[in-house]
Amino acid sequence: DSSPCGIAAHVKESPAGPWSEELPDWSRPQRDSGRSLESVSCASETGRVRVLLASAPHADTFGYSMPPPGLLRLGGALERAGHAALLEDLAFRQASGAIRDDDALCTDAAELLLAHGPVDVLGLSVMGATLPAALRIAEHYASARPDTPILIGGPGTTGTDRLLLERFPAVTAVVRGEGEVTLLRVLDRLASGRGLAGVAGVTGVTPGAGSMAMRLVVTPSATVNVPPAYRLPRESVCRS
């Protein structure tokens, strides 16, 4: 069986049974390209960064039910900090037919994001079930705009940040914890022309001697209450 975007599970005969999944050797990093934390920058004289944030697509059992609250809060935090926030709910685009609901899903989603024009940063918000699609979207997007940093965050990255950076060069960094706090720190660094090395809550790649060296900085959880930004397609936003 194959999942959307052509991501298939590889199976083989084994003593454990005929449908045991053949997993990669996770102990061997695959990454030999991509951008280091030190090299990421989008210096801005105004301190304002143009950010495109998207929630990865998924098929809801009961149909499209609600806009992603995390994405709305992130947009609200960025706007209040003076950044230009563009939001895309790819699950809504999928449900509305704007992007195809088959193996072309991730290609269509990437093309839709690219149609927004050049941005300083692309951020993808993921759940566990939407992480594979987000990674494929990131690959398509990076092939067209290799100089745009791609950040991934959300509950779907919990405990997988190091593996993601090791195996997917399209991903510049993984934002952990409360995005409303960490992402603002990231954008402040980028706007000032500095890299992301040492930013709390960010996992990324630093230059290593013959192999990838990871910098993992853990930030305490933060409690935030930021008004949402209603910048999604009007039909997808439910208001009381």
Side-chain angles (χ1 to χ4, degrees):
D1 292 339
S2 62
S3 59
C5 308
I7 302 172
H10 299 285
V11 297
K12 68 174 182 178
E13 293 280 350
S14 78
W19 297 105
S20 297
E21 185 176 1
E22 182 180 2
L23 296 175
D25 181 0
W26 296 119
S27 65
R28 299 179 58 191
Q30 307 297 314
R31 187 181 184 120
D32 58 4
S33 62
R35 306 179 66 183
S36 70
L37 292 175
E38 288 86 351
S39 69
V40 181
S41 175
C42 55
S44 168
E45 293 182 357
T46 64
R48 191 169 186 258
V49 178
R50 180 177 169 86
V51 187
L52 174 56
L53 298 176
S55 58
H58 63 89
D60 195 315
T61 305
F62 304 102
Y64 185 84
S65 56
M66 64 178 291
L71 195 70
L72 294 172
R73 287 195 296 269
L74 276 176
L78 297 188
E79 286 190 341
R80 292 171 74 86
H83 299 294
L86 308 171
L87 306 187
E88 271 293 350
D89 180 0
L90 294 176
F92 171 72
R93 297 294 192 184
Q94 178 183 2
S96 68
I99 55 179
R100 288 172 286 183
D101 191 16
D102 55 22
D103 281 355
L105 171 65
C106 297
T107 304
D108 283 2
E111 291 297 328
L112 188 148
L113 298 179
L114 288 165
H116 282 277
V119 296
D120 296 314
V121 179
L122 171 64
L124 297 173
S125 175
V126 302
M127 300 181 292
T130 64
L131 179 57
L135 293 171
R136 187 58 59 87
I137 292 168
E139 290 175 348
H140 287 303
Y141 192 97
S143 67
R145 296 224 169 89
D147 293 332
T148 301
I150 298 178
L151 311 179
I152 287 187
T157 65
T158 302
T160 66
D161 50 342
R162 189 182 183 93
L163 293 175
L164 293 176
L165 268 296
E166 289 177 348
R167 287 159 178 80
F168 297 95
V171 179
T172 307
V174 177
V175 176
R176 310 185 321 277
E178 299 293 339
E180 294 90 335
V181 175
T182 306
L183 187 55
L184 288 178
R185 294 173 180 163
V186 167
L187 298 184
D188 287 344
R189 279 288 196 95
L190 294 178
S192 66
R194 297 177 291 166
L196 300 182
V199 176
V202 172
T203 303
V205 179
T206 59
S211 63
M212 187 183 67
M214 303 297 297
R215 181 188 296 274
L216 181 60
V217 183
V218 180
T219 182
S221 298
T223 301
V224 295
N225 183 16
V226 180
Y230 292 100
R231 292 294 184 272
L232 297 174
R234 181 172 299 180
E235 299 88 347
S236 75
V237 178
C238 304
R239 302 188 187 187
S240 58

